[in-house]
Amino acid sequence: MDTRRRLVPDIVTLQAFECAARHGNFTRAAEELNLTQSAVSRQISDLEAQTGMLLFERIRRRVVLSDAGRKFLPDVQKLLHQSEQLMVRAVTAGTSSASLSIATLPTFGSRWLTPRLHKFMALYPETVLTVGSRSQPFDFDEESFDIAIHYGQPVWARGTCTFLCNEVIVPVASPSLLAKHTPKTHADLLSKPLLHVTTRPKLWTDWFEMNGIASEGAYRGSRFDQFSMLIEATISGLGFALLPKYLIEAELVSGQLAVVFDVPLATDKSYHIALPEGRQDNVLAQAFQTWLLEQVGKPL
């Protein structure tokens, strides 16, 4: 057999390994896979022979991953997941006239993009969308997204970036909190309960300094590692927060949140649309990019 083909993993064998690792038991793995215990044991032995590694240690009636098995498992799980996604995309493509896979920042996707997608679907009703959340740039060659929305500088390895919009951040609070703690001046906010997003620890400091106010004390207050959690905390009246205006459009319209001072802070980073190099002829991705650019500044 060709050496290269001998090294190509057998998906069924990898499934047996992953299942046995998850259960710590060949019998339970066999039940899940609808196989016999001896079949699973044989597949594990074949995989150990192929890799030259002892993947499990037999301890009494249990099997425990060896050091080599623990290191091997994450890559196996990743490969199985990619294989599953490959088949899902293939089946989807076979049952629809067009498909588009979109990577977006989690909160941007849930609060700005998703509420608008029905408008795109009205223009392209036969399209099947796959929307995934990604917080950082990724390799388009490893993840088969057609288009991505990126926050930061217009830099993406093996991708081209198009400017989407700037970020405008405003101080907001719930009406109930404003009724109890009404700030009369910008400086008054320093004595109020301030809320922060962990990934942007200097927002309040920058806002105060922009308004010519010494920012000592601006770091105090509760912190949340996602804008989505920070928004909910602000709505509940936990404190004052600096939030991107595009993330709270619905809350500002409904009155759940109110702008405290109409003094926006513009950050030094922006939102961009990234397309993979070498796939610029994707007509649907180009159409989605054009549609995205048209949505900027439009209300929900």
PDB file of all heavy atoms in Angstrom, residues 126-154:
ATOM      1  N   GLU A 126     -33.900  31.874  -2.252  1.00  0.00           N
ATOM      2  CA  GLU A 126     -33.488  30.483  -2.402  1.00  0.00           C
ATOM      3  C   GLU A 126     -32.170  30.181  -1.676  1.00  0.00           C
ATOM      4  O   GLU A 126     -31.687  29.047  -1.687  1.00  0.00           O
ATOM      5  CB  GLU A 126     -33.327  30.137  -3.890  1.00  0.00           C
ATOM      6  CG  GLU A 126     -34.606  30.303  -4.696  1.00  0.00           C
ATOM      7  CD  GLU A 126     -35.736  29.443  -4.154  1.00  0.00           C
ATOM      8  OE1 GLU A 126     -35.478  28.270  -3.806  1.00  0.00           O
ATOM      9  OE2 GLU A 126     -36.870  29.946  -4.061  1.00  0.00           O
ATOM     10  N   THR A 127     -31.600  31.176  -1.046  1.00  0.00           N
ATOM     11  CA  THR A 127     -30.299  31.017  -0.396  1.00  0.00           C
ATOM     12  C   THR A 127     -30.451  30.344   0.972  1.00  0.00           C
ATOM     13  O   THR A 127     -31.360  30.657   1.739  1.00  0.00           O
ATOM     14  CB  THR A 127     -29.622  32.388  -0.210  1.00  0.00           C
ATOM     15  OG1 THR A 127     -29.435  32.990  -1.490  1.00  0.00           O
ATOM     16  CG2 THR A 127     -28.269  32.241   0.475  1.00  0.00           C
ATOM     17  N   VAL A 128     -29.544  29.437   1.253  1.00  0.00           N
ATOM     18  CA  VAL A 128     -29.449  28.832   2.581  1.00  0.00           C
ATOM     19  C   VAL A 128     -28.234  29.452   3.274  1.00  0.00           C
ATOM     20  O   VAL A 128     -27.117  29.388   2.762  1.00  0.00           O
ATOM     21  CB  VAL A 128     -29.290  27.310   2.503  1.00  0.00           C
ATOM     22  CG1 VAL A 128     -29.008  26.725   3.877  1.00  0.00           C
ATOM     23  CG2 VAL A 128     -30.546  26.678   1.905  1.00  0.00           C
ATOM     24  N   LEU A 129     -28.465  30.053   4.439  1.00  0.00           N
ATOM     25  CA  LEU A 129     -27.390  30.718   5.179  1.00  0.00           C
ATOM     26  C   LEU A 129     -26.844  29.824   6.283  1.00  0.00           C
ATOM     27  O   LEU A 129     -27.601  29.108   6.945  1.00  0.00           O
ATOM     28  CB  LEU A 129     -27.894  32.013   5.805  1.00  0.00           C
ATOM     29  CG  LEU A 129     -28.403  33.108   4.867  1.00  0.00           C
ATOM     30  CD1 LEU A 129     -28.915  34.288   5.689  1.00  0.00           C
ATOM     31  CD2 LEU A 129     -27.318  33.562   3.900  1.00  0.00           C
ATOM     32  N   THR A 130     -25.539  29.873   6.469  1.00  0.00           N
ATOM     33  CA  THR A 130     -24.894  29.278   7.631  1.00  0.00           C
ATOM     34  C   THR A 130     -24.143  30.401   8.328  1.00  0.00           C
ATOM     35  O   THR A 130     -23.231  30.995   7.744  1.00  0.00           O
ATOM     36  CB  THR A 130     -23.910  28.159   7.237  1.00  0.00           C
ATOM     37  OG1 THR A 130     -24.625  27.132   6.542  1.00  0.00           O
ATOM     38  CG2 THR A 130     -23.249  27.572   8.470  1.00  0.00           C
ATOM     39  N   VAL A 131     -24.531  30.713   9.552  1.00  0.00           N
ATOM     40  CA  VAL A 131     -23.924  31.828  10.290  1.00  0.00           C
ATOM     41  C   VAL A 131     -23.199  31.274  11.504  1.00  0.00           C
ATOM     42  O   VAL A 131     -23.797  30.590  12.340  1.00  0.00           O
ATOM     43  CB  VAL A 131     -24.990  32.857  10.721  1.00  0.00           C
ATOM     44  CG1 VAL A 131     -24.329  34.041  11.418  1.00  0.00           C
ATOM     45  CG2 VAL A 131     -25.802  33.336   9.514  1.00  0.00           C
ATOM     46  N   GLY A 132     -21.907  31.557  11.595  1.00  0.00           N
ATOM     47  CA  GLY A 132     -21.096  31.103  12.718  1.00  0.00           C
ATOM     48  C   GLY A 132     -20.452  32.277  13.417  1.00  0.00           C
ATOM     49  O   GLY A 132     -20.194  33.312  12.802  1.00  0.00           O
ATOM     50  N   SER A 133     -20.189  32.131  14.714  1.00  0.00           N
ATOM     51  CA  SER A 133     -19.553  33.218  15.468  1.00  0.00           C
ATOM     52  C   SER A 133     -18.057  32.966  15.583  1.00  0.00           C
ATOM     53  O   SER A 133     -17.630  31.867  15.914  1.00  0.00           O
ATOM     54  CB  SER A 133     -20.181  33.346  16.860  1.00  0.00           C
ATOM     55  OG  SER A 133     -19.988  32.165  17.606  1.00  0.00           O
ATOM     56  N   ARG A 134     -17.288  33.984  15.301  1.00  0.00           N
ATOM     57  CA  ARG A 134     -15.836  33.952  15.437  1.00  0.00           C
ATOM     58  C   ARG A 134     -15.383  35.305  15.984  1.00  0.00           C
ATOM     59  O   ARG A 134     -15.720  36.345  15.445  1.00  0.00           O
ATOM     60  CB  ARG A 134     -15.147  33.690  14.090  1.00  0.00           C
ATOM     61  CG  ARG A 134     -15.428  32.329  13.463  1.00  0.00           C
ATOM     62  CD  ARG A 134     -14.816  31.206  14.280  1.00  0.00           C
ATOM     63  NE  ARG A 134     -14.991  29.920  13.632  1.00  0.00           N
ATOM     64  CZ  ARG A 134     -16.077  29.155  13.734  1.00  0.00           C
ATOM     65  NH1 ARG A 134     -17.113  29.598  14.440  1.00  0.00           N
ATOM     66  NH2 ARG A 134     -16.153  27.989  13.125  1.00  0.00           N
ATOM     67  N   SER A 135     -14.615  35.274  17.067  1.00  0.00           N
ATOM     68  CA  SER A 135     -14.164  36.515  17.693  1.00  0.00           C
ATOM     69  C   SER A 135     -12.831  37.002  17.148  1.00  0.00           C
ATOM     70  O   SER A 135     -12.478  38.168  17.322  1.00  0.00           O
ATOM     71  CB  SER A 135     -14.056  36.325  19.215  1.00  0.00           C
ATOM     72  OG  SER A 135     -15.309  36.012  19.775  1.00  0.00           O
ATOM     73  N   GLN A 136     -12.082  36.109  16.499  1.00  0.00           N
ATOM     74  CA  GLN A 136     -10.766  36.457  15.992  1.00  0.00           C
ATOM     75  C   GLN A 136     -10.637  36.018  14.538  1.00  0.00           C
ATOM     76  O   GLN A 136     -11.326  35.094  14.096  1.00  0.00           O
ATOM     77  CB  GLN A 136      -9.676  35.770  16.833  1.00  0.00           C
ATOM     78  CG  GLN A 136      -9.663  36.156  18.301  1.00  0.00           C
ATOM     79  CD  GLN A 136      -9.311  37.607  18.528  1.00  0.00           C
ATOM     80  OE1 GLN A 136      -8.595  38.217  17.731  1.00  0.00           O
ATOM     81  NE2 GLN A 136      -9.814  38.191  19.620  1.00  0.00           N
ATOM     82  N   PRO A 137      -9.737  36.656  13.779  1.00  0.00           N
ATOM     83  CA  PRO A 137      -9.496  36.204  12.406  1.00  0.00           C
ATOM     84  C   PRO A 137      -9.047  34.746  12.373  1.00  0.00           C
ATOM     85  O   PRO A 137      -8.399  34.261  13.298  1.00  0.00           O
ATOM     86  CB  PRO A 137      -8.377  37.140  11.925  1.00  0.00           C
ATOM     87  CG  PRO A 137      -8.535  38.371  12.750  1.00  0.00           C
ATOM     88  CD  PRO A 137      -8.962  37.877  14.108  1.00  0.00           C
ATOM     89  N   PHE A 138      -9.397  34.046  11.327  1.00  0.00           N
ATOM     90  CA  PHE A 138      -9.070  32.641  11.170  1.00  0.00           C
ATOM     91  C   PHE A 138      -8.538  32.419   9.765  1.00  0.00           C
ATOM     92  O   PHE A 138      -8.516  33.342   8.939  1.00  0.00           O
ATOM     93  CB  PHE A 138     -10.311  31.774  11.431  1.00  0.00           C
ATOM     94  CG  PHE A 138     -11.506  32.193  10.614  1.00  0.00           C
ATOM     95  CD1 PHE A 138     -11.684  31.732   9.317  1.00  0.00           C
ATOM     96  CD2 PHE A 138     -12.444  33.072  11.138  1.00  0.00           C
ATOM     97  CE1 PHE A 138     -12.769  32.139   8.559  1.00  0.00           C
ATOM     98  CE2 PHE A 138     -13.533  33.487  10.381  1.00  0.00           C
ATOM     99  CZ  PHE A 138     -13.694  33.016   9.089  1.00  0.00           C
ATOM    100  N   ASP A 139      -8.101  31.211   9.489  1.00  0.00           N
ATOM    101  CA  ASP A 139      -7.576  30.856   8.176  1.00  0.00           C
ATOM    102  C   ASP A 139      -8.743  30.421   7.282  1.00  0.00           C
ATOM    103  O   ASP A 139      -9.399  29.421   7.549  1.00  0.00           O
ATOM    104  CB  ASP A 139      -6.551  29.727   8.313  1.00  0.00           C
ATOM    105  CG  ASP A 139      -5.786  29.480   7.020  1.00  0.00           C
ATOM    106  OD1 ASP A 139      -6.315  29.801   5.944  1.00  0.00           O
ATOM    107  OD2 ASP A 139      -4.653  28.962   7.093  1.00  0.00           O
ATOM    108  N   PHE A 140      -8.993  31.168   6.213  1.00  0.00           N
ATOM    109  CA  PHE A 140     -10.075  30.822   5.302  1.00  0.00           C
ATOM    110  C   PHE A 140      -9.850  29.461   4.642  1.00  0.00           C
ATOM    111  O   PHE A 140     -10.803  28.826   4.194  1.00  0.00           O
ATOM    112  CB  PHE A 140     -10.220  31.887   4.214  1.00  0.00           C
ATOM    113  CG  PHE A 140     -11.067  33.072   4.623  1.00  0.00           C
ATOM    114  CD1 PHE A 140     -10.514  34.344   4.692  1.00  0.00           C
ATOM    115  CD2 PHE A 140     -12.412  32.920   4.926  1.00  0.00           C
ATOM    116  CE1 PHE A 140     -11.290  35.433   5.053  1.00  0.00           C
ATOM    117  CE2 PHE A 140     -13.199  34.009   5.299  1.00  0.00           C
ATOM    118  CZ  PHE A 140     -12.632  35.267   5.359  1.00  0.00           C
ATOM    119  N   ASP A 141      -8.589  29.023   4.576  1.00  0.00           N
ATOM    120  CA  ASP A 141      -8.310  27.720   3.974  1.00  0.00           C
ATOM    121  C   ASP A 141      -8.697  26.577   4.909  1.00  0.00           C
ATOM    122  O   ASP A 141      -8.953  25.462   4.455  1.00  0.00           O
ATOM    123  CB  ASP A 141      -6.821  27.602   3.627  1.00  0.00           C
ATOM    124  CG  ASP A 141      -6.428  28.518   2.473  1.00  0.00           C
ATOM    125  OD1 ASP A 141      -7.323  28.875   1.679  1.00  0.00           O
ATOM    126  OD2 ASP A 141      -5.244  28.876   2.373  1.00  0.00           O
ATOM    127  N   GLU A 142      -8.731  26.841   6.215  1.00  0.00           N
ATOM    128  CA  GLU A 142      -9.079  25.803   7.175  1.00  0.00           C
ATOM    129  C   GLU A 142     -10.563  25.817   7.532  1.00  0.00           C
ATOM    130  O   GLU A 142     -11.125  24.793   7.899  1.00  0.00           O
ATOM    131  CB  GLU A 142      -8.243  25.966   8.456  1.00  0.00           C
ATOM    132  CG  GLU A 142      -6.762  25.681   8.260  1.00  0.00           C
ATOM    133  CD  GLU A 142      -5.989  25.704   9.566  1.00  0.00           C
ATOM    134  OE1 GLU A 142      -6.626  25.897  10.630  1.00  0.00           O
ATOM    135  OE2 GLU A 142      -4.761  25.516   9.526  1.00  0.00           O
ATOM    136  N   GLU A 143     -11.190  26.991   7.462  1.00  0.00           N
ATOM    137  CA  GLU A 143     -12.618  27.100   7.758  1.00  0.00           C
ATOM    138  C   GLU A 143     -13.305  27.661   6.520  1.00  0.00           C
ATOM    139  O   GLU A 143     -12.955  28.735   6.044  1.00  0.00           O
ATOM    140  CB  GLU A 143     -12.859  27.990   8.968  1.00  0.00           C
ATOM    141  CG  GLU A 143     -12.173  27.478  10.231  1.00  0.00           C
ATOM    142  CD  GLU A 143     -12.819  28.053  11.470  1.00  0.00           C
ATOM    143  OE1 GLU A 143     -14.058  28.016  11.577  1.00  0.00           O
ATOM    144  OE2 GLU A 143     -12.070  28.548  12.331  1.00  0.00           O
ATOM    145  N   SER A 144     -14.269  26.946   6.031  1.00  0.00           N
ATOM    146  CA  SER A 144     -14.825  27.265   4.717  1.00  0.00           C
ATOM    147  C   SER A 144     -15.938  28.313   4.770  1.00  0.00           C
ATOM    148  O   SER A 144     -17.049  28.100   4.280  1.00  0.00           O
ATOM    149  CB  SER A 144     -15.346  25.991   4.043  1.00  0.00           C
ATOM    150  OG  SER A 144     -16.308  25.371   4.866  1.00  0.00           O
ATOM    151  N   PHE A 145     -15.657  29.449   5.386  1.00  0.00           N
ATOM    152  CA  PHE A 145     -16.593  30.560   5.349  1.00  0.00           C
ATOM    153  C   PHE A 145     -16.389  31.343   4.052  1.00  0.00           C
ATOM    154  O   PHE A 145     -15.270  31.478   3.555  1.00  0.00           O
ATOM    155  CB  PHE A 145     -16.379  31.491   6.546  1.00  0.00           C
ATOM    156  CG  PHE A 145     -16.901  30.938   7.842  1.00  0.00           C
ATOM    157  CD1 PHE A 145     -16.031  30.448   8.802  1.00  0.00           C
ATOM    158  CD2 PHE A 145     -18.264  30.912   8.103  1.00  0.00           C
ATOM    159  CE1 PHE A 145     -16.504  29.937   9.994  1.00  0.00           C
ATOM    160  CE2 PHE A 145     -18.751  30.403   9.304  1.00  0.00           C
ATOM    161  CZ  PHE A 145     -17.873  29.918  10.243  1.00  0.00           C
ATOM    162  N   ASP A 146     -17.496  31.864   3.514  1.00  0.00           N
ATOM    163  CA  ASP A 146     -17.423  32.654   2.288  1.00  0.00           C
ATOM    164  C   ASP A 146     -17.135  34.114   2.567  1.00  0.00           C
ATOM    165  O   ASP A 146     -16.627  34.832   1.697  1.00  0.00           O
ATOM    166  CB  ASP A 146     -18.756  32.548   1.520  1.00  0.00           C
ATOM    167  CG  ASP A 146     -19.086  31.123   1.137  1.00  0.00           C
ATOM    168  OD1 ASP A 146     -18.214  30.456   0.564  1.00  0.00           O
ATOM    169  OD2 ASP A 146     -20.221  30.676   1.420  1.00  0.00           O
ATOM    170  N   ILE A 147     -17.473  34.566   3.766  1.00  0.00           N
ATOM    171  CA  ILE A 147     -17.331  35.973   4.107  1.00  0.00           C
ATOM    172  C   ILE A 147     -17.269  36.102   5.622  1.00  0.00           C
ATOM    173  O   ILE A 147     -17.812  35.260   6.338  1.00  0.00           O
ATOM    174  CB  ILE A 147     -18.513  36.781   3.531  1.00  0.00           C
ATOM    175  CG1 ILE A 147     -18.264  38.289   3.590  1.00  0.00           C
ATOM    176  CG2 ILE A 147     -19.828  36.397   4.199  1.00  0.00           C
ATOM    177  CD1 ILE A 147     -19.265  39.089   2.761  1.00  0.00           C
ATOM    178  N   ALA A 148     -16.575  37.127   6.117  1.00  0.00           N
ATOM    179  CA  ALA A 148     -16.458  37.315   7.567  1.00  0.00           C
ATOM    180  C   ALA A 148     -16.585  38.795   7.901  1.00  0.00           C
ATOM    181  O   ALA A 148     -16.217  39.662   7.098  1.00  0.00           O
ATOM    182  CB  ALA A 148     -15.115  36.778   8.068  1.00  0.00           C
ATOM    183  N   ILE A 149     -17.104  39.066   9.090  1.00  0.00           N
ATOM    184  CA  ILE A 149     -17.172  40.432   9.605  1.00  0.00           C
ATOM    185  C   ILE A 149     -16.140  40.551  10.714  1.00  0.00           C
ATOM    186  O   ILE A 149     -16.121  39.758  11.648  1.00  0.00           O
ATOM    187  CB  ILE A 149     -18.582  40.757  10.112  1.00  0.00           C
ATOM    188  CG1 ILE A 149     -19.571  40.672   8.946  1.00  0.00           C
ATOM    189  CG2 ILE A 149     -18.617  42.148  10.737  1.00  0.00           C
ATOM    190  CD1 ILE A 149     -21.017  40.770   9.351  1.00  0.00           C
ATOM    191  N   HIS A 150     -15.279  41.537  10.579  1.00  0.00           N
ATOM    192  CA  HIS A 150     -14.074  41.638  11.404  1.00  0.00           C
ATOM    193  C   HIS A 150     -14.019  43.005  12.073  1.00  0.00           C
ATOM    194  O   HIS A 150     -14.288  44.030  11.441  1.00  0.00           O
ATOM    195  CB  HIS A 150     -12.857  41.417  10.500  1.00  0.00           C
ATOM    196  CG  HIS A 150     -11.549  41.815  11.091  1.00  0.00           C
ATOM    197  ND1 HIS A 150     -11.088  41.349  12.303  1.00  0.00           N
ATOM    198  CD2 HIS A 150     -10.574  42.645  10.624  1.00  0.00           C
ATOM    199  CE1 HIS A 150      -9.901  41.864  12.555  1.00  0.00           C
ATOM    200  NE2 HIS A 150      -9.568  42.655  11.559  1.00  0.00           N
ATOM    201  N   TYR A 151     -13.675  43.018  13.372  1.00  0.00           N
ATOM    202  CA  TYR A 151     -13.474  44.271  14.100  1.00  0.00           C
ATOM    203  C   TYR A 151     -11.993  44.461  14.371  1.00  0.00           C
ATOM    204  O   TYR A 151     -11.319  43.545  14.840  1.00  0.00           O
ATOM    205  CB  TYR A 151     -14.240  44.257  15.430  1.00  0.00           C
ATOM    206  CG  TYR A 151     -13.947  45.463  16.296  1.00  0.00           C
ATOM    207  CD1 TYR A 151     -14.516  46.701  16.003  1.00  0.00           C
ATOM    208  CD2 TYR A 151     -13.083  45.372  17.381  1.00  0.00           C
ATOM    209  CE1 TYR A 151     -14.234  47.809  16.785  1.00  0.00           C
ATOM    210  CE2 TYR A 151     -12.804  46.480  18.171  1.00  0.00           C
ATOM    211  CZ  TYR A 151     -13.378  47.697  17.866  1.00  0.00           C
ATOM    212  OH  TYR A 151     -13.094  48.790  18.620  1.00  0.00           O
ATOM    213  N   GLY A 152     -11.488  45.644  14.077  1.00  0.00           N
ATOM    214  CA  GLY A 152     -10.079  45.935  14.336  1.00  0.00           C
ATOM    215  C   GLY A 152      -9.491  46.723  13.191  1.00  0.00           C
ATOM    216  O   GLY A 152     -10.123  47.610  12.615  1.00  0.00           O
ATOM    217  N   GLN A 153      -8.265  46.399  12.847  1.00  0.00           N
ATOM    218  CA  GLN A 153      -7.602  47.019  11.701  1.00  0.00           C
ATOM    219  C   GLN A 153      -7.911  46.206  10.443  1.00  0.00           C
ATOM    220  O   GLN A 153      -8.216  45.017  10.531  1.00  0.00           O
ATOM    221  CB  GLN A 153      -6.086  47.081  11.943  1.00  0.00           C
ATOM    222  CG  GLN A 153      -5.673  47.851  13.186  1.00  0.00           C
ATOM    223  CD  GLN A 153      -6.117  49.298  13.146  1.00  0.00           C
ATOM    224  OE1 GLN A 153      -6.225  49.908  12.077  1.00  0.00           O
ATOM    225  NE2 GLN A 153      -6.403  49.861  14.324  1.00  0.00           N
ATOM    226  N   PRO A 154      -7.835  46.814   9.260  1.00  0.00           N
ATOM    227  CA  PRO A 154      -8.178  46.101   8.020  1.00  0.00           C
ATOM    228  C   PRO A 154      -7.080  45.139   7.582  1.00  0.00           C
ATOM    229  O   PRO A 154      -6.493  45.270   6.497  1.00  0.00           O
ATOM    230  CB  PRO A 154      -8.367  47.236   7.011  1.00  0.00           C
ATOM    231  CG  PRO A 154      -7.479  48.325   7.513  1.00  0.00           C
ATOM    232  CD  PRO A 154      -7.523  48.234   9.017  1.00  0.00           C
TER     233      PRO A 154
END
